[in-house]
Amino acid sequence: MALPRIRVHGPELITRAERVGLARTLGQTEQSLDLSEPAHVSGWKAIGTDGTLQGLIVDDALRPAMVGQGAWAASTSEVFAALYTSAASAWTARGIWTHQITVRDGDPIETAVASLGFGHQQAYGAIRTQAAGHKDAGGARLLARHELRRVLPLVPLISTHQAKSPVFAPRSDRFLRELDASFLDWAATDEVVVFGHVEGDEGDLVGFLAIDTAESVPEIVLAAVAPIARGRGIGGALMQAANAWAAARGIPKLRVDWRTTNPDAQRFWMRAGVVVSARRWSRTIDPEPM
Ligand SMILES: CC(C)(COP(=O)(O)OP(=O)(O)OC[C@H]1O[C@@H](n2cnc3c(N)ncnc32)[C@H](O)[C@@H]1OP(=O)(O)O)[C@@H](O)C(=O)NCCC(=O)NCCS
């Protein structure tokens, strides 16, 4: 591998202006560099011999739960490898053996990331609501606030499913575990809309989908169908109801993210028309010396 004509600096402060500037230079969406983060982000910078910023890895040490997770951007695979060499050295010296990096979909350096031992685990994408058309959403409909209690038995389905093989994501999605306990408080807020699918004489709720509208692009945060009712189009009907609801309000896109190690979710979101924008890649190093 040719040595990059860059020098790696850090860890040091990376300003928001540097992150925005690099994202623009590389034609990346600003989200891929985690620009929602505050100005006080530290990390490693690759500076070219001409003094230009060629790449960076953000060290998320400010958020203890996400230490070792770096948003990054680099002009070439070599720049990425040089940056990661510095970041990995510092992370392992701090006892951090799991490294996570968010990479824009289709970025030419994905291959370099994979060859450094990373595999992707989480995908981020969006669905265009205009494409939904006006199909019938079957038994799926928006739930009123007084009906939200009926969703409670379905909420733990997600964390239970995530904990199983082959997903194996029991601890990292802390949000989901906390949500099992606090779903009602969360779902009853003005920002959240919940769709449900009612079935049978008893009117059992067999599936739900919840959207958080707080951000400019609303996010599908939760979706689950009772195991016995899966594969019958209920998830699809919930998605249609959500699409129609969003389109009627002039919301052009809905965001969603999921574990790529969750085959049900992977197939379901692809079928729903999600366009992937980025993936979170992860590498866990065995700390035992060879
Ligand atoms: C992901 C999930 C919500 C999908 O719900 P679902 O009701 O099974 O979804 P659908 O029935 O609409 O679609 C699933 C499959 O059934 C098929 N299907 C739908 N209606 C059908 C019918 N009448 N006859 C035969 N197959 C049918 C769909 O084509 C789809 O096939 P595919 O997997 O090959 O694409 C559900 O699997 C689930 O709850 N999983 C566990 C929790 C989870 O992973 N949630 C997502 C977290 S991000």
Short mmCIF file of all heavy atoms in Angstrom, two decimals, residues 122 157-159 161-162 167 176 206 208 220-227 229-238 256-259 262-271, ligand 1:
data_model
loop_
_atom_site.label_atom_id
_atom_site.label_comp_id
_atom_site.label_asym_id
_atom_site.label_seq_id
_atom_site.Cartn_x
_atom_site.Cartn_y
_atom_site.Cartn_z
N GLN A 122 -25.24 -2.10 11.53
CA GLN A 122 -26.43 -1.25 11.61
C GLN A 122 -26.54 -0.46 10.31
O GLN A 122 -25.52 0.00 9.79
CB GLN A 122 -26.25 -0.29 12.80
CG GLN A 122 -27.46 0.55 13.15
CD GLN A 122 -28.39 -0.14 14.13
OE1 GLN A 122 -28.11 -1.25 14.58
NE2 GLN A 122 -29.50 0.48 14.44
N LEU A 157 -41.23 -7.31 22.47
CA LEU A 157 -40.90 -8.20 21.34
C LEU A 157 -39.62 -7.75 20.65
O LEU A 157 -38.86 -8.56 20.13
CB LEU A 157 -42.03 -8.15 20.29
CG LEU A 157 -43.30 -8.91 20.57
CD1 LEU A 157 -44.28 -8.66 19.42
CD2 LEU A 157 -43.00 -10.39 20.72
N ILE A 158 -39.40 -6.44 20.63
CA ILE A 158 -38.24 -5.94 19.88
C ILE A 158 -36.95 -6.29 20.61
O ILE A 158 -36.05 -6.89 20.03
CB ILE A 158 -38.38 -4.43 19.63
CG1 ILE A 158 -39.64 -4.20 18.80
CG2 ILE A 158 -37.15 -3.88 18.93
CD1 ILE A 158 -39.97 -2.77 18.56
N SER A 159 -36.87 -5.95 21.91
CA SER A 159 -35.62 -6.24 22.61
C SER A 159 -35.39 -7.76 22.73
O SER A 159 -34.25 -8.22 22.66
CB SER A 159 -35.57 -5.55 23.97
OG SER A 159 -36.80 -5.54 24.57
N HIS A 161 -36.33 -10.00 20.51
CA HIS A 161 -35.88 -10.42 19.18
C HIS A 161 -34.42 -9.99 18.95
O HIS A 161 -33.61 -10.75 18.42
CB HIS A 161 -36.79 -9.79 18.12
CG HIS A 161 -36.50 -10.24 16.73
ND1 HIS A 161 -36.96 -11.42 16.23
CD2 HIS A 161 -35.76 -9.68 15.75
CE1 HIS A 161 -36.53 -11.57 14.99
NE2 HIS A 161 -35.79 -10.51 14.67
N GLN A 162 -34.09 -8.79 19.39
CA GLN A 162 -32.73 -8.27 19.18
C GLN A 162 -31.70 -9.08 19.96
O GLN A 162 -30.54 -9.16 19.57
CB GLN A 162 -32.63 -6.81 19.63
CG GLN A 162 -33.58 -5.86 18.93
CD GLN A 162 -32.97 -5.28 17.66
OE1 GLN A 162 -32.32 -5.98 16.91
NE2 GLN A 162 -33.22 -4.01 17.43
N VAL A 167 -29.20 -12.01 15.75
CA VAL A 167 -29.04 -10.55 15.88
C VAL A 167 -27.97 -10.22 16.93
O VAL A 167 -27.06 -9.43 16.69
CB VAL A 167 -30.38 -9.86 16.23
CG1 VAL A 167 -30.26 -8.36 16.10
CG2 VAL A 167 -31.50 -10.39 15.34
N LEU A 176 -33.78 0.69 23.61
CA LEU A 176 -34.91 -0.22 23.49
C LEU A 176 -35.27 -0.85 24.82
O LEU A 176 -36.43 -1.01 25.15
CB LEU A 176 -34.59 -1.32 22.46
CG LEU A 176 -34.60 -0.87 21.01
CD1 LEU A 176 -34.21 -2.01 20.10
CD2 LEU A 176 -35.98 -0.35 20.63
N VAL A 206 -52.06 -6.83 17.04
CA VAL A 206 -51.04 -7.82 16.68
C VAL A 206 -49.77 -7.18 16.11
O VAL A 206 -48.80 -7.87 15.85
CB VAL A 206 -51.57 -8.88 15.69
CG1 VAL A 206 -52.57 -9.81 16.37
CG2 VAL A 206 -52.17 -8.23 14.46
N PHE A 208 -47.50 -3.09 15.75
CA PHE A 208 -47.48 -1.64 15.91
C PHE A 208 -46.24 -1.05 15.27
O PHE A 208 -45.25 -1.76 15.01
CB PHE A 208 -47.58 -1.23 17.39
CG PHE A 208 -46.27 -1.31 18.12
CD1 PHE A 208 -45.57 -0.16 18.45
CD2 PHE A 208 -45.71 -2.53 18.47
CE1 PHE A 208 -44.34 -0.21 19.11
CE2 PHE A 208 -44.50 -2.60 19.13
CZ PHE A 208 -43.81 -1.45 19.46
N ILE A 220 -38.90 6.36 12.12
CA ILE A 220 -39.62 5.16 12.57
C ILE A 220 -38.73 4.53 13.63
O ILE A 220 -37.65 4.02 13.34
CB ILE A 220 -39.84 4.17 11.40
CG1 ILE A 220 -40.65 4.84 10.29
CG2 ILE A 220 -40.53 2.90 11.91
CD1 ILE A 220 -40.68 4.04 8.99
N VAL A 221 -39.18 4.60 14.87
CA VAL A 221 -38.32 4.19 15.98
C VAL A 221 -38.57 2.72 16.33
O VAL A 221 -37.64 1.99 16.67
CB VAL A 221 -38.55 5.08 17.22
CG1 VAL A 221 -37.67 4.67 18.37
CG2 VAL A 221 -38.28 6.55 16.86
N LEU A 222 -39.81 2.30 16.27
CA LEU A 222 -40.15 0.93 16.67
C LEU A 222 -41.14 0.33 15.69
O LEU A 222 -42.04 1.02 15.21
CB LEU A 222 -40.84 0.94 18.05
CG LEU A 222 -40.06 1.52 19.22
CD1 LEU A 222 -40.99 1.66 20.42
CD2 LEU A 222 -38.89 0.61 19.57
N ALA A 223 -40.97 -0.96 15.43
CA ALA A 223 -41.97 -1.67 14.62
C ALA A 223 -41.88 -3.14 15.02
O ALA A 223 -40.79 -3.70 15.08
CB ALA A 223 -41.68 -1.51 13.13
N ALA A 224 -43.01 -3.73 15.32
CA ALA A 224 -43.00 -5.16 15.65
C ALA A 224 -44.37 -5.76 15.41
O ALA A 224 -45.40 -5.10 15.58
CB ALA A 224 -42.59 -5.39 17.10
N VAL A 225 -44.35 -7.02 15.00
CA VAL A 225 -45.58 -7.79 14.79
C VAL A 225 -45.45 -9.04 15.67
O VAL A 225 -44.35 -9.61 15.78
CB VAL A 225 -45.73 -8.15 13.29
CG1 VAL A 225 -46.84 -9.15 13.05
CG2 VAL A 225 -45.97 -6.88 12.46
N ALA A 226 -46.54 -9.44 16.29
CA ALA A 226 -46.52 -10.64 17.15
C ALA A 226 -46.02 -11.82 16.32
O ALA A 226 -46.43 -11.97 15.15
CB ALA A 226 -47.92 -10.92 17.67
N PRO A 227 -45.14 -12.68 16.88
CA PRO A 227 -44.54 -13.76 16.08
C PRO A 227 -45.57 -14.59 15.32
O PRO A 227 -45.36 -14.92 14.15
CB PRO A 227 -43.81 -14.61 17.14
CG PRO A 227 -43.49 -13.64 18.23
CD PRO A 227 -44.60 -12.63 18.24
N ALA A 229 -48.25 -13.76 14.01
CA ALA A 229 -48.93 -13.04 12.92
C ALA A 229 -47.97 -12.56 11.84
O ALA A 229 -48.38 -11.85 10.92
CB ALA A 229 -49.69 -11.86 13.52
N ARG A 230 -46.69 -12.95 11.94
CA ARG A 230 -45.71 -12.44 10.96
C ARG A 230 -45.88 -13.11 9.58
O ARG A 230 -46.40 -14.21 9.50
CB ARG A 230 -44.28 -12.67 11.46
CG ARG A 230 -43.94 -11.69 12.57
CD ARG A 230 -42.54 -11.88 13.14
NE ARG A 230 -42.49 -11.18 14.42
CZ ARG A 230 -41.60 -11.39 15.38
NH1 ARG A 230 -40.65 -12.27 15.21
NH2 ARG A 230 -41.67 -10.71 16.51
N GLY A 231 -45.41 -12.43 8.55
CA GLY A 231 -45.43 -13.01 7.20
C GLY A 231 -46.79 -12.99 6.56
O GLY A 231 -47.07 -13.69 5.60
N ARG A 232 -47.71 -12.16 7.09
CA ARG A 232 -49.06 -12.08 6.51
C ARG A 232 -49.38 -10.66 6.04
O ARG A 232 -50.53 -10.32 5.81
CB ARG A 232 -50.09 -12.51 7.56
CG ARG A 232 -50.06 -14.00 7.84
CD ARG A 232 -51.38 -14.43 8.45
NE ARG A 232 -51.37 -14.39 9.90
CZ ARG A 232 -52.24 -13.68 10.63
NH1 ARG A 232 -53.14 -12.93 10.06
NH2 ARG A 232 -52.15 -13.72 11.94
N GLY A 233 -48.37 -9.85 5.96
CA GLY A 233 -48.59 -8.50 5.42
C GLY A 233 -48.95 -7.44 6.45
O GLY A 233 -49.29 -6.31 6.09
N ILE A 234 -48.90 -7.81 7.74
CA ILE A 234 -49.29 -6.83 8.76
C ILE A 234 -48.25 -5.71 8.87
O ILE A 234 -48.60 -4.53 8.94
CB ILE A 234 -49.53 -7.55 10.11
CG1 ILE A 234 -50.79 -8.39 9.98
CG2 ILE A 234 -49.64 -6.55 11.27
CD1 ILE A 234 -51.05 -9.35 11.10
N GLY A 235 -46.96 -6.09 8.85
CA GLY A 235 -45.91 -5.07 8.86
C GLY A 235 -46.06 -4.14 7.66
O GLY A 235 -45.97 -2.91 7.79
N GLY A 236 -46.34 -4.72 6.51
CA GLY A 236 -46.51 -3.93 5.29
C GLY A 236 -47.69 -2.97 5.41
O GLY A 236 -47.63 -1.82 4.98
N ALA A 237 -48.78 -3.45 6.01
CA ALA A 237 -49.97 -2.61 6.18
C ALA A 237 -49.68 -1.45 7.14
O ALA A 237 -50.11 -0.31 6.91
CB ALA A 237 -51.14 -3.45 6.70
N LEU A 238 -48.92 -1.73 8.19
CA LEU A 238 -48.56 -0.67 9.13
C LEU A 238 -47.72 0.40 8.42
O LEU A 238 -47.90 1.60 8.63
CB LEU A 238 -47.76 -1.26 10.30
CG LEU A 238 -48.59 -2.04 11.33
CD1 LEU A 238 -47.69 -2.92 12.18
CD2 LEU A 238 -49.39 -1.08 12.21
N VAL A 256 -35.22 5.54 9.13
CA VAL A 256 -35.28 4.29 9.91
C VAL A 256 -33.87 3.72 10.00
O VAL A 256 -33.04 3.95 9.11
CB VAL A 256 -36.27 3.29 9.26
CG1 VAL A 256 -35.83 2.82 7.89
CG2 VAL A 256 -36.50 2.07 10.16
N ASP A 257 -33.57 3.07 11.10
CA ASP A 257 -32.31 2.31 11.16
C ASP A 257 -32.56 0.97 11.81
O ASP A 257 -33.56 0.80 12.52
CB ASP A 257 -31.18 3.09 11.87
CG ASP A 257 -31.49 3.37 13.31
OD1 ASP A 257 -31.19 2.51 14.16
OD2 ASP A 257 -32.04 4.45 13.61
N TRP A 258 -31.73 0.01 11.49
CA TRP A 258 -31.95 -1.36 11.98
C TRP A 258 -30.64 -2.12 11.97
O TRP A 258 -29.66 -1.69 11.32
CB TRP A 258 -32.98 -2.08 11.09
CG TRP A 258 -32.50 -2.36 9.70
CD1 TRP A 258 -31.92 -3.50 9.24
CD2 TRP A 258 -32.54 -1.46 8.58
NE1 TRP A 258 -31.60 -3.37 7.91
CE2 TRP A 258 -31.96 -2.12 7.47
CE3 TRP A 258 -33.00 -0.15 8.41
CZ2 TRP A 258 -31.83 -1.54 6.22
CZ3 TRP A 258 -32.86 0.44 7.16
CH2 TRP A 258 -32.29 -0.26 6.09
N ARG A 259 -30.65 -3.23 12.68
CA ARG A 259 -29.49 -4.14 12.68
C ARG A 259 -29.43 -4.90 11.37
O ARG A 259 -30.41 -5.55 10.99
CB ARG A 259 -29.63 -5.17 13.80
CG ARG A 259 -29.53 -4.59 15.16
CD ARG A 259 -28.14 -4.69 15.67
NE ARG A 259 -27.97 -3.70 16.73
CZ ARG A 259 -26.82 -3.49 17.35
NH1 ARG A 259 -25.76 -4.17 17.02
NH2 ARG A 259 -26.72 -2.57 18.28
N ASN A 262 -30.19 -8.52 11.66
CA ASN A 262 -31.59 -8.91 11.89
C ASN A 262 -32.23 -9.18 10.53
O ASN A 262 -32.69 -8.27 9.85
CB ASN A 262 -32.31 -7.76 12.62
CG ASN A 262 -33.79 -8.04 12.88
OD1 ASN A 262 -34.36 -9.01 12.39
ND2 ASN A 262 -34.40 -7.18 13.67
N PRO A 263 -32.24 -10.46 10.09
CA PRO A 263 -32.71 -10.75 8.73
C PRO A 263 -34.16 -10.32 8.50
O PRO A 263 -34.49 -9.86 7.40
CB PRO A 263 -32.57 -12.27 8.62
CG PRO A 263 -31.65 -12.68 9.71
CD PRO A 263 -31.81 -11.67 10.80
N ASP A 264 -35.02 -10.44 9.52
CA ASP A 264 -36.43 -10.02 9.36
C ASP A 264 -36.49 -8.54 9.02
O ASP A 264 -37.18 -8.12 8.09
CB ASP A 264 -37.22 -10.22 10.67
CG ASP A 264 -37.48 -11.68 10.97
OD1 ASP A 264 -37.17 -12.52 10.12
OD2 ASP A 264 -37.99 -11.95 12.08
N ALA A 265 -35.75 -7.75 9.82
CA ALA A 265 -35.78 -6.30 9.62
C ALA A 265 -35.12 -5.94 8.29
O ALA A 265 -35.63 -5.11 7.55
CB ALA A 265 -35.07 -5.60 10.78
N GLN A 266 -34.01 -6.58 7.98
CA GLN A 266 -33.28 -6.28 6.74
C GLN A 266 -34.20 -6.48 5.53
O GLN A 266 -34.34 -5.61 4.67
CB GLN A 266 -32.05 -7.19 6.65
CG GLN A 266 -31.25 -7.09 5.37
CD GLN A 266 -30.53 -5.75 5.24
OE1 GLN A 266 -30.21 -5.10 6.23
NE2 GLN A 266 -30.28 -5.33 4.02
N ARG A 267 -34.87 -7.63 5.47
CA ARG A 267 -35.76 -7.91 4.33
C ARG A 267 -36.94 -6.95 4.32
O ARG A 267 -37.33 -6.43 3.29
CB ARG A 267 -36.28 -9.34 4.41
CG ARG A 267 -35.36 -10.38 3.83
CD ARG A 267 -36.15 -11.57 3.27
NE ARG A 267 -37.21 -12.00 4.15
CZ ARG A 267 -37.08 -12.88 5.13
NH1 ARG A 267 -35.90 -13.42 5.36
NH2 ARG A 267 -38.10 -13.22 5.87
N PHE A 268 -37.49 -6.75 5.54
CA PHE A 268 -38.70 -5.93 5.63
C PHE A 268 -38.45 -4.50 5.16
O PHE A 268 -39.20 -3.95 4.35
CB PHE A 268 -39.22 -5.93 7.08
CG PHE A 268 -40.47 -5.12 7.24
CD1 PHE A 268 -41.67 -5.59 6.72
CD2 PHE A 268 -40.46 -3.90 7.89
CE1 PHE A 268 -42.83 -4.84 6.84
CE2 PHE A 268 -41.61 -3.15 8.02
CZ PHE A 268 -42.81 -3.62 7.50
N TRP A 269 -37.35 -3.88 5.63
CA TRP A 269 -37.11 -2.48 5.26
C TRP A 269 -36.70 -2.35 3.80
O TRP A 269 -37.07 -1.37 3.14
CB TRP A 269 -36.07 -1.84 6.19
CG TRP A 269 -36.56 -1.77 7.61
CD1 TRP A 269 -35.99 -2.33 8.71
CD2 TRP A 269 -37.75 -1.10 8.09
NE1 TRP A 269 -36.74 -2.07 9.83
CE2 TRP A 269 -37.83 -1.33 9.48
CE3 TRP A 269 -38.77 -0.37 7.47
CZ2 TRP A 269 -38.87 -0.81 10.26
CZ3 TRP A 269 -39.81 0.14 8.25
CH2 TRP A 269 -39.85 -0.09 9.62
N MET A 270 -36.00 -3.34 3.28
CA MET A 270 -35.65 -3.29 1.85
C MET A 270 -36.93 -3.36 1.01
O MET A 270 -37.11 -2.64 0.05
CB MET A 270 -34.71 -4.43 1.47
CG MET A 270 -33.29 -4.30 2.02
SD MET A 270 -32.43 -2.85 1.37
CE MET A 270 -32.66 -1.68 2.67
N ARG A 271 -37.81 -4.25 1.41
CA ARG A 271 -39.07 -4.42 0.68
C ARG A 271 -39.94 -3.16 0.79
O ARG A 271 -40.68 -2.83 -0.13
CB ARG A 271 -39.82 -5.61 1.28
CG ARG A 271 -40.87 -6.14 0.40
CD ARG A 271 -41.51 -7.36 1.05
NE ARG A 271 -42.48 -7.92 0.16
CZ ARG A 271 -42.19 -8.81 -0.77
NH1 ARG A 271 -40.97 -9.25 -0.88
NH2 ARG A 271 -43.12 -9.26 -1.57
C1 LIG B 1 -39.98 -6.93 10.77
C2 LIG B 1 -41.46 -7.27 11.07
C3 LIG B 1 -42.09 -6.05 11.76
C4 LIG B 1 -42.19 -7.54 9.75
O1 LIG B 1 -43.57 -7.75 10.02
P1 LIG B 1 -44.47 -8.76 9.14
O2 LIG B 1 -45.87 -8.55 9.51
O3 LIG B 1 -43.94 -10.14 9.26
O4 LIG B 1 -44.18 -8.18 7.68
P2 LIG B 1 -44.95 -8.60 6.33
O5 LIG B 1 -45.81 -9.78 6.57
O6 LIG B 1 -45.58 -7.37 5.78
O7 LIG B 1 -43.74 -8.97 5.41
C5 LIG B 1 -42.90 -10.06 5.75
C6 LIG B 1 -42.87 -11.09 4.62
O8 LIG B 1 -44.13 -11.72 4.50
C7 LIG B 1 -44.54 -11.71 3.13
N1 LIG B 1 -46.00 -11.66 3.07
C8 LIG B 1 -46.78 -10.62 3.34
N2 LIG B 1 -48.06 -10.95 3.16
C9 LIG B 1 -48.10 -12.24 2.79
C10 LIG B 1 -49.11 -13.14 2.49
N3 LIG B 1 -50.39 -12.78 2.53
N4 LIG B 1 -48.75 -14.40 2.17
C11 LIG B 1 -47.47 -14.78 2.12
N5 LIG B 1 -46.45 -13.95 2.41
C12 LIG B 1 -46.76 -12.70 2.73
C13 LIG B 1 -43.93 -10.46 2.61
O9 LIG B 1 -43.83 -10.53 1.21
C14 LIG B 1 -42.60 -10.48 3.27
O10 LIG B 1 -41.76 -11.37 2.58
P3 LIG B 1 -40.21 -11.16 2.50
O11 LIG B 1 -39.69 -11.37 3.88
O12 LIG B 1 -39.73 -12.20 1.57
O13 LIG B 1 -40.00 -9.77 2.02
C15 LIG B 1 -41.57 -8.55 11.93
O14 LIG B 1 -40.82 -9.58 11.34
C16 LIG B 1 -41.09 -8.38 13.36
O15 LIG B 1 -41.83 -7.95 14.23
N6 LIG B 1 -39.82 -8.77 13.63
C17 LIG B 1 -39.26 -8.74 14.97
C18 LIG B 1 -39.04 -7.33 15.48
C19 LIG B 1 -38.18 -6.56 14.53
O16 LIG B 1 -37.20 -7.05 14.04
N7 LIG B 1 -38.59 -5.30 14.28
C20 LIG B 1 -37.87 -4.41 13.41
C21 LIG B 1 -36.84 -3.72 14.22
S1 LIG B 1 -35.98 -2.53 13.26
#
